[in-house]
Amino acid sequence: MQNKPTSAYVHIPFCTQICFYCDFSKVFIKNQPVDDYLKALIQEYQSKEITSLRTLYIGGGTPTALNAQQLEFLLTNLTKNLDLNTLEEFTIEANPGDLTEDKIAVLAKSAVNRVSLGVQTFDDKLLKKIGRSHTEQDIYETITNLKQSGFNNISIDLIYALPQQTMEQLIINVKKALSLDIPHMSLYSLILENHTVFMNRMRRGKLHLPQEDLEAEMFEYIIEELEKSGFDHYEISNFSKPGYESRHNLMYWDNAEYYGFGAGASGYVDGIRYRNRGPIQHYLKAIREDGHARLNEEVLSKREMMEEEMFLGLRKKKGVSKLRFEEKYGISFEEIYGDVARELESQGLLISTHEQVRMTKKGLFLGDSVAEKFILE
């Protein structure tokens, strides 16, 4: 009997606007069957008879695109049968423009204890350019209101290397982010995904992004400034004050199992990675008729599990524990990955000690391309 996962991800696919860089499973909220969706989602969630979780994460889309009553319905039903003493971290993603007073009041009386805000940039012109509807002022007001309602575990997402963004603009952004006095930030460079407005513009030669060396300079500047301000660069894109690391995301990077609920959500349970149906009507029909909405399932081989352990684990500053690897897979780390580790170490991309293997600063900047070396031929 395998242990049940102690984490769950819940997907709310609705948005009040569609951003030009986003390829997540989402739809514009107007005229959508939101109440039906929430009922089906709770039905899927309750079918697993979950009574204990360590982390719970509501993402999207934009969960705060829901109105206050819908939000209350969702939060109440997710925690109805949960032992709240074991729930260490309950995060909800939010948009600065969507978090009205009544929604913050709903969050404040729920079990939610962490809010992650999609800030992206403080520059009003750039916000417009990337299809966001909030303003710089909205960011400050939302964070002030959250703090006044008792939330201190607040995280923001920022995107750098945006179209035509200069180093000067980035410096101002980092300064404004630090002035918020919050304990966690995620910083991502803009990645062009297929089927997004930005990718289409790029293909037509209408999108001008910073050159790679400027992007590298931006990343180095971000790390330096945040570390000077007491943030730990604990994962490639994530920075936190001591004790405020995202426990839910660390669960992903530790390659642990988790439930995924909602349209287009992914999960990992009993060695099976699965994905739910994405289109909302397909999801509703599947829950109604089958009680679940799994679209595909992939049973991972031991080799694939080991590859994922390395690929995900190397994103963390502390890397992968060789001992934990050997306990988990019953095989010598040296035998499987010794040669790869030595080669990357000789290139200055990896540090391999008796106990662990982790990336150097140079390795972290190259990120996934270093981790890919651990995918066995």
Side-chain angles (χ1 to χ4, degrees):
M1 173 68 190
Q2 287 210 302
N3 289 336
K4 277 182 143 187
T6 57
S7 292
Y9 171 80
V10 174
H11 191 68
I12 301 297
F14 308 111
C15 289
T16 45
Q17 86 266 1
I18 302 296
C19 306
F20 298 162
Y21 52 82
C22 176
D23 74 331
F24 290 141
S25 179
K26 80 290 171 183
V27 292
F28 187 57
I29 193 163
K30 211 173 169 192
N31 303 326
Q32 288 292 331
V34 181
D35 292 336
D36 290 346
Y37 177 79
L38 293 175
K39 285 185 193 125
L41 175 68
I42 294 301
Q43 186 186 330
E44 184 194 11
Y45 175 80
Q46 288 176 343
S47 71
K48 292 285 176 258
E49 297 180 353
I50 299 167
T51 53
S52 171
L53 287 173
R54 206 172 64 80
T55 73
L56 182 51
Y57 192 105
I58 305 178
T62 312
T64 50
L66 303 175
N67 66 35
Q69 288 76 14
Q70 291 164 337
L71 204 52
E72 188 163 19
F73 173 82
L74 175 67
L75 298 174
T76 309
N77 282 290
L78 286 175
T79 51
K80 201 160 64 179
N81 302 316
L82 274 190
D83 174 1
L84 294 182
N85 293 319
T86 60
L87 188 63
E88 295 170 20
E89 183 186 88
F90 185 179
T91 303
I92 190 166
E93 289 180 350
N95 260 352
D98 291 339
L99 262 187
T100 49
E101 268 177 45
D102 56 344
K103 292 182 198 178
I104 291 179
V106 168
L107 293 184
K109 62 173 216 275
S110 74
V112 169
N113 58 11
R114 184 173 182 272
V115 179
S116 176
L117 288 175
V119 165
Q120 316 322 357
T121 174
F122 291 86
D123 184 316
D124 282 345
K125 281 201 185 87
L126 271 176
L127 281 166
K128 248 198 188 73
K129 248 184 203 164
I130 62 177
R132 301 292 281 178
S133 59
H134 70 264
T135 62
E136 179 180 1
Q137 199 45 44
D138 289 332
I139 300 166
Y140 301 131
E141 282 173 12
T142 301
I143 287 186
T144 301
N145 293 342
L146 282 168
K147 285 182 179 178
Q148 282 171 351
S149 300
F151 288 98
N152 57 6
N153 195 352
I154 300 171
S155 176
I156 61 169
D157 284 357
L158 289 173
I159 301 179
Y160 64 97
L162 285 163
Q164 290 158 330
Q165 189 178 31
T166 62
M167 193 64 192
E168 289 69 34
Q169 286 173 319
L170 176 90
I171 289 169
I172 292 167
N173 254 305
V174 170
K175 201 172 168 182
K176 287 177 173 174
L178 288 169
S179 76
L180 297 173
D181 188 27
I182 54 170
H184 191 282
M185 295 187 206
S186 303
L187 288 106
Y188 306 99
S189 64
L190 181 69
I191 294 170
L192 292 180
E193 306 284 4
N194 285 323
H195 315 301
T196 60
V197 175
F198 272 176
M199 182 58 105
N200 295 337
R201 281 187 192 167
M202 182 78 167
R203 290 194 173 125
R204 297 201 309 269
K206 295 267 193 328
L207 189 71
H208 304 289
L209 297 175
Q211 295 298 312
E212 209 166 277
D213 50 354
L214 175 58
E215 189 185 314
E217 201 183 316
M218 286 177 165
F219 187 56
E220 272 170 41
Y221 176 81
I222 289 164
I223 295 172
E224 203 175 302
E225 285 304 301
L226 292 187
E227 285 184 342
K228 265 199 288 203
S229 300
F231 282 84
D232 178 29
H233 183 202
Y234 72 100
E235 189 272 344
I236 289 181
S237 308
N238 284 275
F239 299 80
S240 85
K241 293 276 175 78
Y244 284 93
E245 298 82 2
S246 164
R247 294 176 190 192
H248 186 81
N249 288 337
L250 279 168
M251 174 276 304
Y252 293 140
W253 303 315
D254 285 338
N255 199 22
E257 296 198 339
Y258 60 96
Y259 298 105
F261 298 106
S266 301
Y268 181 29
V269 179
D270 293 337
I272 297 170
R273 285 206 182 272
Y274 66 86
R275 189 175 172 82
N276 276 350
R277 293 176 184 282
I280 289 166
Q281 291 301 344
H282 295 197
Y283 172 80
L284 292 178
K285 183 171 186 272
I287 296 290
R288 203 167 49 238
E289 293 175 4
D290 309 322
H292 71 84
R294 289 191 184 187
L295 175 64
N296 54 32
E297 296 186 347
E298 184 191 355
V299 181
L300 297 185
S301 66
K302 185 164 161 181
R303 198 182 94 164
E304 287 167 328
M305 286 180 186
M306 291 190 294
E307 289 172 352
E308 289 192 351
E309 188 86 16
M310 299 307 297
F311 194 83
L312 293 162
L314 283 171
R315 295 184 60 92
K316 297 175 297 183
K317 180 181 173 181
K318 66 173 198 272
V320 174
S321 155
K322 292 181 178 177
L323 185 69
R324 187 165 171 264
F325 181 93
E326 291 174 356
E327 276 173 4
K328 210 165 166 181
Y329 302 107
I331 200 160
S332 144
F333 180 89
E334 176 60 33
E335 194 182 309
I336 301 278
Y337 287 127
D339 292 347
V340 185
R342 275 187 289 279
E343 186 196 335
L344 291 169
E345 202 169 12
S346 70
Q347 294 166 8
L349 300 171
L350 211 67
I351 295 167
S352 182
T353 64
H354 177 60
E355 284 162 10
Q356 73 198 125
V357 53
R358 61 186 171 87
M359 290 210 231
T360 59
K361 267 210 159 133
K362 184 179 163 192
L364 278 175
F365 183 69
L366 295 169
D368 289 348
S369 56
V370 177
E372 274 166 10
K373 301 278 191 279
F374 287 88
I375 291 174
L376 302 161
E377 291 309 318

